[in-house]
Amino acid sequence: MKKIDYKRRFLFRIYPFLVFCLFCIHCSTENQPTKKEPPPPQAVTVPLPEAMYIQNGCISCHGPEGNGRGTRTHLLKGAQIPNFQDVSTYVNGSSIEAISKSIQNGIPGTYMKAYSHMRKYEIEALAGYIQKMQKNQR
């Protein structure tokens, strides 16, 4: 009779533990349906020349259309900010080479600073972008 009592005690002690283990296994995250996360938004790609125009701050003085009406224009009182659409406002000329030179070296006596940190291909791409804004050719 003592053997039966030991077996019963053992079962009564181990039974709650087994139930708890089964409950934990059943409730694990692996058995739960996974929530679908929405896909990430599609990346917006901006062509290199336009990206250079925006990242280097050209847009703040010259405006998004290159017309010289940027968001900082009002801070530069009395300054002649070139309208890229009008080639007569270019100080050093309107060719890609002249525009590249103005970007690389800046224009002394104006708010146009030198962008010597830019790589040659970036400057050439930006100069081409600016040249495409021209409406009246010489």
Side-chain angles (χ1 to χ4, degrees):
M1 199 109 164
K2 286 187 177 183
K3 285 187 179 180
I4 295 175
D5 287 336
Y6 285 120
K7 286 182 181 179
R8 265 192 194 163
R9 279 190 201 169
F10 177 75
L11 287 176
F12 281 118
R13 285 185 184 171
I14 195 83
Y15 184 75
F17 177 74
L18 290 174
V19 170
F20 176 75
C21 289
L22 289 172
F23 178 77
C24 289
I25 291 171
H26 179 69
C27 293
S28 71
T29 56
E30 294 174 351
N31 294 333
Q32 294 178 0
T34 57
K35 292 181 181 177
K36 269 193 168 181
E37 291 187 28
Q42 289 185 342
V44 176
T45 55
V46 177
L48 177 69
E50 186 176 351
M52 293 291 101
Y53 189 78
I54 295 167
Q55 288 175 355
N56 287 292
C58 307
I59 196 168
S60 63
C61 292
H62 298 285
E65 298 167 9
N67 57 9
R69 296 187 184 123
T71 56
R72 297 184 66 189
T73 308
H74 69 283
L75 300 173
L76 310 174
K77 296 183 189 301
Q80 294 294 323
I81 298 173
N83 175 352
F84 292 146
Q85 297 173 358
D86 182 4
V87 294
S88 66
T89 65
Y90 286 62
V91 176
N92 292 330
S94 60
S95 68
I96 289 183
E97 294 79 20
I99 296 168
S100 296
K101 182 181 172 188
S102 296
I103 295 168
Q104 177 72 34
N105 302 325
I107 302 174
T110 70
Y111 287 101
M112 177 62 188
K113 66 176 187 169
Y115 287 86
S116 55
H117 68 279
M118 293 175 66
R119 294 182 177 103
K120 185 177 179 179
Y121 75 91
E122 293 172 332
I123 291 174
E124 289 173 356
L126 179 56
Y129 182 73
I130 291 169
Q131 192 178 48
K132 287 180 183 176
M133 293 180 183
Q134 297 173 4
K135 291 193 175 172
N136 62 338
Q137 302 287 331
R138 283 189 187 177

